[in-house]
Structure formats: C-alpha cells, structure tokens
Amino acid sequence: MRLILCHCNGLINMPDLDFGHDVKIEWYDDLCKQEVKISPDEKVVVAGCSPSIMEGIFPDVDAEFINLKDHIFLMKHSLDKARTLIKAGIKKAKSGSGLKRKTFMIKSKSAAVIGAGVAGLDLTKALNSAGIKTYLIEKEPFLGGTVAKLDRLYPESTPWSHTVLPLISSVLKNKDIEIFTNSEITKIKGEIGDYKIQLKIKPRGVIDCNNCGACVSVCPVTVQDDGRIRKAIYTTNTYPNKYAIDFNNCNRCGECVKICPKKIDINEQDKVFEINAGAIAVATGLKFYDLEKVEEYGYGKFPNVMNVLEFERKITDGALVPKKVVFICCAGSRDNRHLPYCSRICCFLSLKEAKLVIDRYPDTRIFVCAMDMRSYGNFEYFYTTLRESGVTFIKGKPSEVMKRNGNLVVRVEDLYTNELLEIDADTVVLSGGFVPDIESFEKLGIKIDGNFPIFFESGKLGNIEMPRGIFVAGSAGFPAGVAETIIDSRKSAFSIINLLKKDVIESFQPNAYVNEDYCSVCKTCISTCPYNAITIENGKIKIRPDLCMGCGICASACPSAASRLEKFTSREISEWIKTATKPDDILALLCKWSAYNATETAAYLKIKYPENIKILRIPCSGAVEPHHIFEALNLGVKGILIGGCYPDACHYAKGNSKARTKEHILKETLNLLGISKDRVRLEWIGKDEAKKFENIIREMSLVIK
Amino acid sequence: MIDLKKADINFKWEITRQEGGEGLLKCFGCSDCSASCPVRYLDDRYNPRKIIRLTLLGMKAEVLSSPFLWLCAHCHACTERCPQGIRVAEVINAIKNYAVQQGYCPEGLKVQLNLLNNSGRLYELEDFDLRKRQRMGLPEIAKKIPDVARIFQFTKIFERTAK
Amino acid sequence: MKRYALFLGCTVPVRAQHYELATRNVAKELGIEFVDLKEGSCCGFPLKALDAETSLLMAARNVGLASNLGLDVVTLCNSCTAMLSDAQVKLKESEFRKKFTELGFTYPNEIKVRHFVRVLYEDIGVEDIKKAIRKPLNNLRIISHYGCHYLRPSYLHTFDSVENPHTLDELTGLTGATVIDYQEKKLCCGGSVLGVDEELAVKMANQKLSIAKNNNADVLISICPFCTVMYEDNQRKVEAKFNTTYNIPVLYYPQLLGLSLGLPPDACGLKFNRIKPDNIISKL
C-alpha cells in the first residue's frame, strides 16, 4: 500500500517513518502543485492537509485521508499522535473492501422533453441548438401549455404571443425535433443514458384539415374550457394548425364527419410509439390546486367564484364585464388543511389579473384580500401601480364567501383597521396555489411527496455527482413566472447537454450497500433513507447507487448490520478506533459538513485543544452506530463526542435528528449498564464554532472522571 | 398603546402548557378566526385574534382580567377555519383555564362547580322531576353521582379556583 | 335489534323529558334498543372553561360506563357529544389514562360516541327510515338547526361536512316536510354565552329565528337541549328585545320523526313544548 505524504510546503515534517514492509512511503513537497500517478483500482493513504481539499486533488481515487496539517502541525501536537493517526488510517484502509466505482454508459444521445409549455419549448430549443435530438411530448392536442391559454404573461404583462409564438416557431420544421401532441408516456424502462420510453398517441380525430371551421358549427357539444366555452371539436391559435376532437367530451354523433370537406375519423385508435433517450426532462408546468376543497369560498357552488385562469379568459373573451371584483389570495395556500406552502406566484397573479381588468374597464371596483402581499423583488413596483390605480388592498384572510340578494359577499376582518368587512361583489377570484405533478413523476418511477420544490439537487432526482438522468424545468419544479421558467429551462438544458456529451459517467462517492447474508428484509432502512434510494427487488433490499448520497443513516439503523456504507463499515471504524485511541482519550466523531470543519477553524485561529482528542471524520452524525460507541467505551476511551449540524441544517435532511433520537436511547442503555451518561455527548457544532468545540472538550475532560 | 415593559415573556409558554393550548405559537395573525367568529360578528369587544396576539405579546394581566374573554361561545367556527391548524377554541379555553388558576374565575362557573359537586349533574333530580319521569314512563336514573365529587378532589379543582 | 348505551347528561332528564320520550319511542319503532346509563353524570362540558382536565375526566368516566357494557354511546345533546368524543380520544393518551385509572375507572372496550341523529343517519340509514314513514308531513315548512358541536370540531366528529352540512336536512326531508335551504346553517344559538352576557346570547338566537321567520318556517328543528333553551325557552325574550313576534315552535328532531312514523303527538311529547306546536298538530 502506498502512503502519500505532503510536506505542505514545509509545514509538515516527520523523520524516520516506518509502517512495515508493505507500506511504501512517498513524500511530496506540495501536493497542490505536484502530480501523483495513482491507478484507478489502487487503494492509498494520503496524509497532508484537510480532506475536503485533498478530495479535490484526488477526485477519483480510493484514498484514506489524514489531516496532519490541522490536527497535528498547526495544533502543535506530538509526532507520536501523528504516527498513531497515520497507522490508524492505514489499518482502516486495509480492513475495508474499498470503493466500488459506479459507471453508467450514455448510450442514447437524445433527450425527451415532457410538456410543451414555455419550459418545454424553450428547453427543446436550447437542446436543439446544442445539436441534441429532442422528442417533445405534449398531452394536449396543441402546443403552448397554460401560458397559451392566457392573455398576457406573468410577470411581464406582455401578450403571450410575444414569447410563446416565437418559441413554437423555433421548434417547428426541424429534423432534430420530433413533436408528439396528444401523447402520454405509458411505460418506461432503463436507466440514465438509456431510457426506453413507450408513448401512447391518442387520436386527434381530424386527419386532414383546411381550417374551414364547418365542423364547429355543427358540433352539438359545448365544453367549459377553463372559463371559455368551446365545442368538442376545436382549435387554438398555436400549433398544429388544424382542428382536434376532444374525445373526453365528444358524443360521437358524426355530424362533423358529414360536413367536413377534408377528413375526420371519429373511430381513430390509440397509437403506440417507442423512443430512446439518454435524458428526460419533466416540464409539465403548473397544476392548479382543486379549489372546490376550499369549501368556504364556494368555488364550484357559486358560478361567479372562479380561479385566475378562468377569470382572465372570461375577461379577455368579453364574456365577463365585472363591476366589483374581490380577489382572495392564498385560497388554500399556506394552510395546513390544504397546501402548507406558499406557491410564490399567486399573489402576483392576482395583481396581474387586477391590472388586466383596470386596463380594460378602469371603473371596476377591485379589492384584493391577502394575508401578506408577497410581491418580491421588482414586483413591488407593480403592487404600487395597482394601489395608484385605485385598487383597495385588504390585509386579512376572508372567512367565507356567501350569497346575499343575488350578490356575492366576502366576509373578512381587515387587519389594517381591525374592522370586520362584508364586501359585496359580482365576481370573486380565488388565487389558489399549485401542486406538484405527482402523476408525471410517478410514471417515471419517481416518488415525490406533495411539496415543492422539486430540484434534482434535493435528491429526488438523483444526486449531484450521479443524476438519474431525469431533470425538471419550469413550474413542474416550483411555480414560476415566464422569465423564471426560461432561466430554469436553460439551467436544465445545461445539465442535459453536459450529460449527453459524455459517453460514460462515473462516481467515486461512497455508497451504501447490503450484505444479503445478514439482511432479514425488515425494511427499517427503507424508511430511514432521505432519498428513497432503497427499494425491494425480488424480495431483496436493493440500494440504488444513482440515488444514494452516502450518508450512512441506513447502515446505522440496520438492526442486523447488513446495510453498510463504503469506507465506513463497522470493521473499518473498529480498526480505526482500536489503533487510534488509548484509554483516557476522547474520541470525537465529527460530521464532515460542520463539526469537523470547526476543528480546522480551530487550527487557523490557534484555538488549542488537548493532545488526547482523536478526531474521526464521519459523513453525518446520523451515521454513528451504537456499536461503535460501546466498542470505544470497551477500549477504555474516556469520552465520546459526536458533532453534527444544527437542527434542520443536516446535509442529508434528517440525519442529525435521527442522531438525537439514537442518543436518547443510547443514554438509557448506558444508564442500565451503570456507565455514566456524561461519557457520551451529542452536540451541534457549526463549521466556524472552534470556540464551542474547545469548550465542549474542556467540559468533557473536567466532568468525566 | 401596549406597554411592552409590562409584558410577561413566560405567559405564552404557560398557555402552551395548558390542556388545549398547544397550538398557540403557530398563529401568524391572518384574522380568519375573528372573521369566522359569530360572537365577534355581533359584538366586537370579543376578538379571538386579538386575545391570541396579546397573549403572544405577553400581556398577561390585560388578557386574563378581560371580561370579554368569557364571551367565547366555544362554537369552534374558528378552529375549522384556522389555516395553521390551531384549535383556536381550545386555545381560548386554555387561556380561560389559566385565568381561573390566576384568580379570575367568573362567579357563574363557581356556582356550577358547586352544583356538580353536590349531585354530579347541573340540575338535581327533585321529587317532582322523578314523579314526572315516572308519569311519562321514563326509566329511573341515579339521583346523585358521588364520583364527580371524587374527580374534583382528585384534580384539586377547589384549590385551583380558590385564588 | 341495534343496542346502544343511552347517555342523557344534565338537561335532558330534567328539563327536556319530551325529547327523551320521543327519542325512546322513535328508537322502538326503528328497532333500536337502549341500555340506560343510570349512573351517567354531567358530561363535563360546563366545567371545561374552568378546568379542561377535570371536565375530560368527567366525560371519560361516562365513556367508561358504556365501555363496560361493551356498547357504543348515543347522546342527545351536541355538547355532550363533543365532550364525550374528546374524552374518547383522550383515553388513548397514556398520561390521561393513568389518571383515569388512578380514580378507579375502567375503559375495557374501545367504543364510539355519536349523537342519536348521526346514529339514525349512519346505522339505520335514510332508506330504512324512509320505508318506516307512515304519515308524511307534507304541509310543513321546516328549518333545521344543526348546532355547533354536532359537527364541530371536525377533528373529533369526522362526519358530514362542516361548511355544507346536509345530514339533518336529509333526515328532516324524510318526514315529507319541505326543508328550507339556507346559508347560515352553521350559526351558533348563543347558549354558551347565556350565563355570561344574556343580551349577546339573545342577539345570537335572534339571527336564526329571523331567518326562520323570513322563510315562513312552521317549525324549527333542534337536536340539542342547549339550542332549544335559546330558541324556545328564550323566544319571548328575543321577541321583546327585537320588538317582533316569532311564535315559531321548536321541535326536537325525534319528535318530528315520531309524528311522521305515525306516533300520536303525546308519544312524541308535543304537549311539553313551551311554544305550543298547534300549527303542526292541526296540519297533521
């Protein structure tokens, strides 16, 4: 085994090192500048500066890092301790089975984009400009998404034709873009780099069309389409430029077939089509929360209570000329009974709609009720414009919408005046929130909960080093305006282009794995994983390497020690503790995202802690196993400090809170065994809190006899 | 003006420790409770939002001594509407309970307590009632329920209301 | 035969015997058997404002009595329903259960707590009641009053809809009467504040009485003795305060149902109503 040591430009010097015949010692003056050749299947020990820096210098090497700079030389601790730490590192490296390199082939260089709204269109255009073959899949018969149903954009207030039409024309007639309207994903197989996607293309009914519109005049079925009234056969002014039959509402009377001078087929069947893509983007856009659930506001009960989309379409259609309108923001949002989160854009949608009315009918009386007007950024100017236009803003959440003498009445307590108001109106507009498109993600095999945002960094779509090849763009990730959507779709385009230009992607991040000999399939690990990376396949537990982030929480929760984290197995930790610690030592197991950094800060700030503190860098406080604690106590270690991140700040979402739960159980057990519970401490230590680290160590040294 | 120098920072914590007072701190002051309240609709001396906000500010004496606290009809209209899932009527009730412990118990409640201590029901079954029940063919029921007085001793309710 | 433990509470056995009588007679007609909780005390609700824990222990004791019989509880008063339901949930908490046990009470079987009207709706069912109607009350216009604690808080009741309640209207409709549809079904009678501020309570009661009058209701249906105290016993006070005349009889739902089942008015306790329901009897 090679032991690679760095002098750190003269700081680190250790004469006469000898760790036995099988350890080859190599010194370098400055690893930051010098090149070291290490073969991919080699295991090495590297001693020098902070592991977080060395990880960057050796990104794809299976190495055990030892921090001589911060823990020995800047601390002015003994060379003896340094030798012990190196020895422990070597023992740990030797006892482990090492990192498994994870490799995925990027076989298909095409991308599939689901949803042809602003996000999907812009993404398709961006991918196309990078030379990527793109399949654009839209479930409706026409392109354009929600925005194409609107009059003007959010937040620019320009007509949608300014943005959506150019986007649509940019994806048409391009041999590298294949557009599927009226289509849905039915089946998906494969993994990153090679997805096989089965599409169902629903019948359009209209085969050949010259846009004469005769069909509409004979169609007997009227359909309510988000505030507009249309027939069961209809068209829009986007693309494709031909009519379509809405088969959910069509009664198949055949009148259109008779009158059509071209060709309509009402008996057309579904078609199945298969595509192959290396990456998939979810751009399914906004999904409105069902406002009928907010019973007190009377949506679905009173025809004049509507959502923003319906309102905008009615106004611009001329079907509605209101005299008095009340907008209710947060209808079902920031509400534990409905959507606990803020959907971010709805306050502004109310403002946009208010302006839409005022621009057309300046005499309209408008009230906007909001608990808090969240007009973030420059939208504040828009809010001011509306006040100056005479809109009345009321602070408060209306309790209900009633009907009295033919009018709607909104009851609200106005927090500005403390008075109860009853506002009568002919129209009430509910600015409701939006919900994640659980169904679309589920079709791709991704379980998401009911919350926003869905970014791939959050682990739902794979981890940063190893994405699962599924990306999200626009409002499908988090409700967004058109400008924000376009920025977001460009970011996703970047990730997709980056991925598809490679032939293979590899990861060296430690992963959890399961030893099937020990696993009893108790499923405890499944519930502990913050990333839903653990599944059952053919009755066996399987941990997906593309989703695992290497936190080790599952391993620490496994009752039969079957689940393990690479480089952090019980054997490796035991070897390290046995070699590194002496009786009377304090063992510090410190989270690499916070508490461990505090020891480096201590070195820079020259905040001293005693020689007998032995620090092991761990992925998460939640990864510590009770077994390790007992083993260390058995060896005579005086005290054990586990350092983690502050509440709600865990890098792995909930590792620290799991550590806290385990600590309580552990202390009860220690109590039963007659061991003083003071010997084990779990503390939250921020990356800069060297002083806190020192204080805790001092306290522990004093308290433990 | 509210004089925050008089604020008692422990007041809100005291209320959260009362039965039913748990949700108090979640309040973000949206005013849905007071807009839903049938009492506040007719009489704005009572306002659940204001009581909760004053409690959060620590205005203990002001809240507990207010006679309007007792106007809550416990109808739970507020509870049903609270977007934060606060059981508003229960929180108001917790404040009432705390007021009682602090010596602000309405006389009417003490009368009811004594009645219940005597017979276990608010209306004692007089001979007249018993005869009427008999005449109507209604079954006999116990005249006194001594268990109730036992519960009162157990929870030391008279000591709590003595202040 | 369906069996339930009947919990009467304070008011019903002393002040609303006609409600009790009608309930028992209707139950007999519909194949419901009651086992009386003779040792039933006050549900605890009147003391809730004083000390919630004491009131919950009182309620839990009553739930325990029924549990020992292995029977679900049927209540006649809305507040008793909420109070006993609250205790039924509370009995699942170990700390509360400990105190309950220390007092020597037991809760051997998990049982349900429901209002009689809810039991009619859920266990007997609209279809079966419909079949039992012998004398449809076709000539009556009826306004129903749900009262607060029949449905609220919904975390205890999980039944019907708080915002758009319908069960009592549906049941009232079965009697053949015309059910008045109106918006303010959720209004509170004001009973809880009667002891604190009579004027306010009277104002609250007036709201629904005036809605009843404006809708030409022949009778107001109540399912809670507290609400009846406000709408019937205090109707004269409301009239005096608002300088109007209502003279609207207030019947408990079982009284109305009893009439439509063909029971004689006496068996429904009609002669004990304070506001004489002569208009109803004459229309029968």
Side-chain angles (χ1 to χ4, degrees), chain B residues 79-97:
Chain B
T79 304
E80 295 303 331
R81 296 271 172 69
C82 176
Q84 288 299 300
I86 303 169
R87 297 174 175 181
V88 185
E90 295 294 331
V91 170
I92 299 288
N93 193 71
I95 299 174
K96 287 179 182 173
N97 282 186

PDB file of all heavy atoms in Angstrom, chain B residues 79-97:
ATOM      1  N   THR B  79     -61.839  27.258  14.839  1.00  0.00           N
ATOM      2  CA  THR B  79     -60.985  26.069  14.703  1.00  0.00           C
ATOM      3  C   THR B  79     -61.059  25.511  13.291  1.00  0.00           C
ATOM      4  O   THR B  79     -60.051  25.116  12.712  1.00  0.00           O
ATOM      5  CB  THR B  79     -61.446  24.993  15.704  1.00  0.00           C
ATOM      6  OG1 THR B  79     -61.433  25.552  17.003  1.00  0.00           O
ATOM      7  CG2 THR B  79     -60.548  23.781  15.667  1.00  0.00           C
ATOM      8  N   GLU B  80     -62.281  25.481  12.753  1.00  0.00           N
ATOM      9  CA  GLU B  80     -62.461  24.889  11.427  1.00  0.00           C
ATOM     10  C   GLU B  80     -61.757  25.684  10.339  1.00  0.00           C
ATOM     11  O   GLU B  80     -61.414  25.157   9.302  1.00  0.00           O
ATOM     12  CB  GLU B  80     -63.955  24.790  11.086  1.00  0.00           C
ATOM     13  CG  GLU B  80     -64.731  23.844  11.980  1.00  0.00           C
ATOM     14  CD  GLU B  80     -64.177  22.423  11.979  1.00  0.00           C
ATOM     15  OE1 GLU B  80     -63.587  22.008  10.966  1.00  0.00           O
ATOM     16  OE2 GLU B  80     -64.319  21.745  13.012  1.00  0.00           O
ATOM     17  N   ARG B  81     -61.556  26.976  10.573  1.00  0.00           N
ATOM     18  CA  ARG B  81     -61.017  27.823   9.514  1.00  0.00           C
ATOM     19  C   ARG B  81     -59.532  28.091   9.649  1.00  0.00           C
ATOM     20  O   ARG B  81     -58.889  28.519   8.704  1.00  0.00           O
ATOM     21  CB  ARG B  81     -61.757  29.159   9.531  1.00  0.00           C
ATOM     22  CG  ARG B  81     -63.228  29.047   9.210  1.00  0.00           C
ATOM     23  CD  ARG B  81     -63.467  29.153   7.721  1.00  0.00           C
ATOM     24  NE  ARG B  81     -64.840  28.874   7.354  1.00  0.00           N
ATOM     25  CZ  ARG B  81     -65.873  29.641   7.639  1.00  0.00           C
ATOM     26  NH1 ARG B  81     -65.697  30.743   8.325  1.00  0.00           N
ATOM     27  NH2 ARG B  81     -67.081  29.309   7.242  1.00  0.00           N
ATOM     28  N   CYS B  82     -58.966  27.873  10.825  1.00  0.00           N
ATOM     29  CA  CYS B  82     -57.568  28.279  11.047  1.00  0.00           C
ATOM     30  C   CYS B  82     -56.640  27.593  10.051  1.00  0.00           C
ATOM     31  O   CYS B  82     -56.547  26.372  10.005  1.00  0.00           O
ATOM     32  CB  CYS B  82     -57.123  27.956  12.465  1.00  0.00           C
ATOM     33  SG  CYS B  82     -55.381  28.359  12.704  1.00  0.00           S
ATOM     34  N   PRO B  83     -55.925  28.379   9.229  1.00  0.00           N
ATOM     35  CA  PRO B  83     -55.040  27.765   8.236  1.00  0.00           C
ATOM     36  C   PRO B  83     -53.816  27.108   8.873  1.00  0.00           C
ATOM     37  O   PRO B  83     -53.152  26.308   8.232  1.00  0.00           O
ATOM     38  CB  PRO B  83     -54.623  28.938   7.343  1.00  0.00           C
ATOM     39  CG  PRO B  83     -54.805  30.143   8.180  1.00  0.00           C
ATOM     40  CD  PRO B  83     -55.937  29.846   9.131  1.00  0.00           C
ATOM     41  N   GLN B  84     -53.531  27.455  10.099  1.00  0.00           N
ATOM     42  CA  GLN B  84     -52.381  26.852  10.759  1.00  0.00           C
ATOM     43  C   GLN B  84     -52.765  25.624  11.575  1.00  0.00           C
ATOM     44  O   GLN B  84     -51.938  25.056  12.289  1.00  0.00           O
ATOM     45  CB  GLN B  84     -51.691  27.894  11.657  1.00  0.00           C
ATOM     46  CG  GLN B  84     -50.957  28.947  10.857  1.00  0.00           C
ATOM     47  CD  GLN B  84     -49.858  28.340  10.006  1.00  0.00           C
ATOM     48  OE1 GLN B  84     -48.936  27.719  10.492  1.00  0.00           O
ATOM     49  NE2 GLN B  84     -49.977  28.490   8.691  1.00  0.00           N
ATOM     50  N   GLY B  85     -54.030  25.251  11.495  1.00  0.00           N
ATOM     51  CA  GLY B  85     -54.471  24.061  12.222  1.00  0.00           C
ATOM     52  C   GLY B  85     -54.494  24.260  13.729  1.00  0.00           C
ATOM     53  O   GLY B  85     -54.450  23.301  14.498  1.00  0.00           O
ATOM     54  N   ILE B  86     -54.552  25.513  14.164  1.00  0.00           N
ATOM     55  CA  ILE B  86     -54.644  25.762  15.601  1.00  0.00           C
ATOM     56  C   ILE B  86     -56.077  25.469  16.039  1.00  0.00           C
ATOM     57  O   ILE B  86     -57.029  25.888  15.377  1.00  0.00           O
ATOM     58  CB  ILE B  86     -54.306  27.241  15.941  1.00  0.00           C
ATOM     59  CG1 ILE B  86     -52.922  27.595  15.414  1.00  0.00           C
ATOM     60  CG2 ILE B  86     -54.402  27.492  17.439  1.00  0.00           C
ATOM     61  CD1 ILE B  86     -52.614  29.077  15.469  1.00  0.00           C
ATOM     62  N   ARG B  87     -56.222  24.746  17.128  1.00  0.00           N
ATOM     63  CA  ARG B  87     -57.574  24.530  17.661  1.00  0.00           C
ATOM     64  C   ARG B  87     -57.916  25.776  18.479  1.00  0.00           C
ATOM     65  O   ARG B  87     -57.800  25.782  19.715  1.00  0.00           O
ATOM     66  CB  ARG B  87     -57.590  23.256  18.485  1.00  0.00           C
ATOM     67  CG  ARG B  87     -57.274  22.054  17.624  1.00  0.00           C
ATOM     68  CD  ARG B  87     -57.136  20.779  18.401  1.00  0.00           C
ATOM     69  NE  ARG B  87     -56.940  19.678  17.435  1.00  0.00           N
ATOM     70  CZ  ARG B  87     -56.808  18.407  17.765  1.00  0.00           C
ATOM     71  NH1 ARG B  87     -56.859  18.053  19.032  1.00  0.00           N
ATOM     72  NH2 ARG B  87     -56.646  17.485  16.837  1.00  0.00           N
ATOM     73  N   VAL B  88     -58.325  26.815  17.744  1.00  0.00           N
ATOM     74  CA  VAL B  88     -58.428  28.148  18.345  1.00  0.00           C
ATOM     75  C   VAL B  88     -59.321  28.146  19.583  1.00  0.00           C
ATOM     76  O   VAL B  88     -58.955  28.689  20.627  1.00  0.00           O
ATOM     77  CB  VAL B  88     -58.941  29.178  17.317  1.00  0.00           C
ATOM     78  CG1 VAL B  88     -58.930  30.576  17.905  1.00  0.00           C
ATOM     79  CG2 VAL B  88     -58.088  29.144  16.060  1.00  0.00           C
ATOM     80  N   ALA B  89     -60.490  27.492  19.473  1.00  0.00           N
ATOM     81  CA  ALA B  89     -61.415  27.487  20.618  1.00  0.00           C
ATOM     82  C   ALA B  89     -60.765  26.819  21.818  1.00  0.00           C
ATOM     83  O   ALA B  89     -60.986  27.226  22.966  1.00  0.00           O
ATOM     84  CB  ALA B  89     -62.709  26.780  20.246  1.00  0.00           C
ATOM     85  N   GLU B  90     -59.931  25.805  21.555  1.00  0.00           N
ATOM     86  CA  GLU B  90     -59.255  25.122  22.659  1.00  0.00           C
ATOM     87  C   GLU B  90     -58.191  26.032  23.271  1.00  0.00           C
ATOM     88  O   GLU B  90     -57.955  26.005  24.479  1.00  0.00           O
ATOM     89  CB  GLU B  90     -58.613  23.820  22.168  1.00  0.00           C
ATOM     90  CG  GLU B  90     -59.607  22.766  21.678  1.00  0.00           C
ATOM     91  CD  GLU B  90     -60.513  22.220  22.776  1.00  0.00           C
ATOM     92  OE1 GLU B  90     -60.078  22.189  23.947  1.00  0.00           O
ATOM     93  OE2 GLU B  90     -61.661  21.855  22.463  1.00  0.00           O
ATOM     94  N   VAL B  91     -57.529  26.832  22.419  1.00  0.00           N
ATOM     95  CA  VAL B  91     -56.528  27.760  22.938  1.00  0.00           C
ATOM     96  C   VAL B  91     -57.200  28.809  23.823  1.00  0.00           C
ATOM     97  O   VAL B  91     -56.735  29.115  24.920  1.00  0.00           O
ATOM     98  CB  VAL B  91     -55.735  28.431  21.787  1.00  0.00           C
ATOM     99  CG1 VAL B  91     -54.877  29.571  22.312  1.00  0.00           C
ATOM    100  CG2 VAL B  91     -54.871  27.406  21.064  1.00  0.00           C
ATOM    101  N   ILE B  92     -58.336  29.333  23.348  1.00  0.00           N
ATOM    102  CA  ILE B  92     -59.067  30.314  24.164  1.00  0.00           C
ATOM    103  C   ILE B  92     -59.494  29.664  25.479  1.00  0.00           C
ATOM    104  O   ILE B  92     -59.394  30.257  26.553  1.00  0.00           O
ATOM    105  CB  ILE B  92     -60.307  30.853  23.394  1.00  0.00           C
ATOM    106  CG1 ILE B  92     -59.874  31.553  22.090  1.00  0.00           C
ATOM    107  CG2 ILE B  92     -61.144  31.773  24.275  1.00  0.00           C
ATOM    108  CD1 ILE B  92     -59.188  32.890  22.258  1.00  0.00           C
ATOM    109  N   ASN B  93     -59.927  28.409  25.390  1.00  0.00           N
ATOM    110  CA  ASN B  93     -60.336  27.703  26.602  1.00  0.00           C
ATOM    111  C   ASN B  93     -59.139  27.532  27.550  1.00  0.00           C
ATOM    112  O   ASN B  93     -59.281  27.649  28.765  1.00  0.00           O
ATOM    113  CB  ASN B  93     -60.932  26.336  26.244  1.00  0.00           C
ATOM    114  CG  ASN B  93     -61.657  25.716  27.411  1.00  0.00           C
ATOM    115  OD1 ASN B  93     -62.723  26.174  27.810  1.00  0.00           O
ATOM    116  ND2 ASN B  93     -61.067  24.688  28.000  1.00  0.00           N
ATOM    117  N   ALA B  94     -57.953  27.266  26.982  1.00  0.00           N
ATOM    118  CA  ALA B  94     -56.746  27.120  27.803  1.00  0.00           C
ATOM    119  C   ALA B  94     -56.451  28.438  28.528  1.00  0.00           C
ATOM    120  O   ALA B  94     -56.044  28.435  29.689  1.00  0.00           O
ATOM    121  CB  ALA B  94     -55.566  26.714  26.927  1.00  0.00           C
ATOM    122  N   ILE B  95     -56.687  29.551  27.823  1.00  0.00           N
ATOM    123  CA  ILE B  95     -56.469  30.861  28.468  1.00  0.00           C
ATOM    124  C   ILE B  95     -57.476  31.050  29.605  1.00  0.00           C
ATOM    125  O   ILE B  95     -57.140  31.526  30.678  1.00  0.00           O
ATOM    126  CB  ILE B  95     -56.555  32.006  27.431  1.00  0.00           C
ATOM    127  CG1 ILE B  95     -55.459  31.820  26.372  1.00  0.00           C
ATOM    128  CG2 ILE B  95     -56.414  33.364  28.103  1.00  0.00           C
ATOM    129  CD1 ILE B  95     -55.531  32.797  25.206  1.00  0.00           C
ATOM    130  N   LYS B  96     -58.720  30.604  29.362  1.00  0.00           N
ATOM    131  CA  LYS B  96     -59.728  30.678  30.427  1.00  0.00           C
ATOM    132  C   LYS B  96     -59.282  29.844  31.627  1.00  0.00           C
ATOM    133  O   LYS B  96     -59.359  30.296  32.771  1.00  0.00           O
ATOM    134  CB  LYS B  96     -61.071  30.133  29.925  1.00  0.00           C
ATOM    135  CG  LYS B  96     -61.823  31.032  28.953  1.00  0.00           C
ATOM    136  CD  LYS B  96     -63.108  30.321  28.550  1.00  0.00           C
ATOM    137  CE  LYS B  96     -63.936  31.103  27.543  1.00  0.00           C
ATOM    138  NZ  LYS B  96     -65.071  30.289  27.059  1.00  0.00           N
ATOM    139  N   ASN B  97     -58.827  28.624  31.374  1.00  0.00           N
ATOM    140  CA  ASN B  97     -58.367  27.751  32.462  1.00  0.00           C
ATOM    141  C   ASN B  97     -57.261  28.429  33.263  1.00  0.00           C
ATOM    142  O   ASN B  97     -57.231  28.382  34.481  1.00  0.00           O
ATOM    143  CB  ASN B  97     -57.828  26.420  31.915  1.00  0.00           C
ATOM    144  CG  ASN B  97     -58.920  25.442  31.520  1.00  0.00           C
ATOM    145  OD1 ASN B  97     -58.652  24.303  31.168  1.00  0.00           O
ATOM    146  ND2 ASN B  97     -60.168  25.871  31.562  1.00  0.00           N
TER     147      ASN B  97
END
